[in-house]
Amino acid sequence: MDHSVEVLPSIRTKEKDEWKSRQIPARMPSRIAQIRLVSGHPEVYEPCDDSFALVDALLADRKNLLEHEPMICMEVGCGSGYVITSLAIMLKQEDSDASVSYFATDINPHALRVTSETLKAHTVHAEVLCDNIAASGLEKRLSGKVDVMVVNPPYVPTPEDEVGRDGIASAWAGGENGRTVIDKILPVADKLLSNKGWLYMVTLAANSPSQICLVMKEKGYASRIIVQRSTEEESLHVIKFWRDPDLQVGEQKDRSAATTQRTSSAGMMDSIFLQFPRIPFWRNDNSSS
C-alpha cells in the first residue's frame, strides 16, 4: 500500500474568532461534515484547529483509505462527531456495495448526544457508546477488527488531577507532558486494530511525538506525519500508524535493545521534529499542507 498522500485544501477557516465558509471548487465534492449542522453543548468540545487538522489528514489520505476498503472504523473521543461523520462521508462511494460499520466513543454523555445529532444531520449511522476505551468491554468485542481508528486525544499538559474530569475538561486535560491519556490509548489501539489496521492520531509537540512513534515501532508499527501545522499557540502533528511486518519480526528479536536505546533515539528524533518547517494552520486556497 502506498502511504503517500493526496493534498487537498481545507474548506473552513477561522478569522478573528469567526467561522468563514470558503467556496468549494466545483471539481471537489463536499467530503466533510458541514460545521453549521453540528449540534452543540457548553460541555462538548467544538471542532477547532486540531479537529480540522485531523480531517484534513484524512482528506489528504483519502485515496489510500478508499483502496484500503475498511470494514470497521472507530473514533475514540468523538466530541461533536465532526471527525467520525467526515470520515464516513469521505468513504462513501456510490458504486460500492461495501458496508462499513462505524463506532464512536466518548466518556462525556453530552458528547454522545451531540455526536448522534451530527451523524443524523448527515444521514450517517454509527454506534455511539459511552465508553472509557482504556478499560472497557469494547476491547473484547472489537479486538483485532478495527481497520481505521481516529483519535484526537486530550493532549494538553495539565496537572494529573485534571485528567478524566467530568465535562469539557476531559477533552483536553492530558496530564504530565499531555501523555497520560495517550499512553493509555496506544496499547488498546494495538489490541483493537486489525492486521491491516491504521491509526490516525493528533499530537502536540510537547507530547514528544517522536517518542510516541518509537513506542509504536516497538509494537511493530511504521509511522509517518500526514499533517504538521503550527498555530499561534501550538505545533500539531497528525501521525498515521500501520503495522509493518518487517518491524514486527524485528520486535521479537530486538525488544530489549530497542528499550535501551529509546531515550537517546527519542532525543535525536525530537531534534529532527524541531527542524520541520512550521506550516501556518490557516492557509490560502492555492497553498498546500
Side-chain angles (χ1 to χ4, degrees), residues 185-203:
I185 290 175
L186 294 179
V188 177
D190 180 38
K191 292 178 181 178
L192 291 176
L193 289 172
S194 67
N195 288 334
K196 69 171 192 175
W198 293 351
L199 168 65
Y200 297 83
M201 177 177 282
V202 179
T203 67

Side-chain angles (χ1 to χ4, degrees), residues 45 48-54 152-153 155-156 201-207 209 225-231 233-239 273 276-279 281:
Y45 187 73
C48 199
D49 295 358
D50 46 5
S51 315
F52 299 134
L54 180 51
N152 182 7
Y155 56 66
V156 177
M201 177 177 282
V202 179
T203 67
L204 191 67
N207 305 147
I225 298 172
I226 302 294
V227 167
Q228 189 274 326
R229 294 178 185 157
S230 294
T231 67
E233 299 179 351
E234 56 191 14
S235 178
L236 299 167
H237 303 83
V238 180
I239 307 174
F273 266 77
F276 275 43
R278 291 194 166 191
I279 305 171
F281 185 85

Side-chain angles (χ1 to χ4, degrees), residues 100-261:
V100 184
S101 297
Y102 295 94
F103 293 83
T105 73
D106 207 294
I107 62 173
N108 182 347
H110 300 298
L112 303 180
R113 178 185 63 78
V114 173
T115 290
S116 295
E117 293 176 358
T118 302
L119 291 162
K120 183 178 179 181
H122 294 84
T123 64
V124 173
H125 174 73
E127 190 168 341
V128 182
L129 304 165
C130 187
D131 193 90
N132 181 349
I133 196 66
S136 75
L138 198 63
E139 187 175 334
K140 285 186 177 180
R141 178 181 171 191
L142 295 179
S143 179
K145 297 179 180 178
V146 178
D147 297 320
V148 173
M149 179 182 290
V150 292
V151 188
N152 182 7
Y155 56 66
V156 177
T158 63
E160 286 294 328
D161 60 4
E162 293 184 14
V163 176
R165 285 186 176 180
D166 292 339
I168 196 169
S170 64
W172 66 68
E176 185 178 358
N177 299 321
R179 287 284 297 274
T180 298
V181 179
I182 290 174
D183 288 344
K184 290 179 180 178
I185 290 175
L186 294 179
V188 177
D190 180 38
K191 292 178 181 178
L192 291 176
L193 289 172
S194 67
N195 288 334
K196 69 171 192 175
W198 293 351
L199 168 65
Y200 297 83
M201 177 177 282
V202 179
T203 67
L204 191 67
N207 305 147
S208 297
S210 59
Q211 189 180 60
I212 294 173
C213 291
L214 286 173
V215 169
M216 292 301 282
K217 183 177 180 181
E218 289 182 16
K219 297 179 182 296
Y221 290 83
S223 60
R224 66 169 291 144
I225 298 172
I226 302 294
V227 167
Q228 189 274 326
R229 294 178 185 157
S230 294
T231 67
E232 293 182 359
E233 299 179 351
E234 56 191 14
S235 178
L236 299 167
H237 303 83
V238 180
I239 307 174
K240 175 182 179 180
F241 300 93
W242 66 94
R243 297 186 189 274
D244 186 321
D246 293 335
L247 289 177
Q248 290 172 346
V249 171
E251 176 194 3
Q252 299 299 322
K253 296 180 178 179
D254 237 0
R255 183 183 296 272
S256 59
T259 302
T260 303
Q261 295 175 6

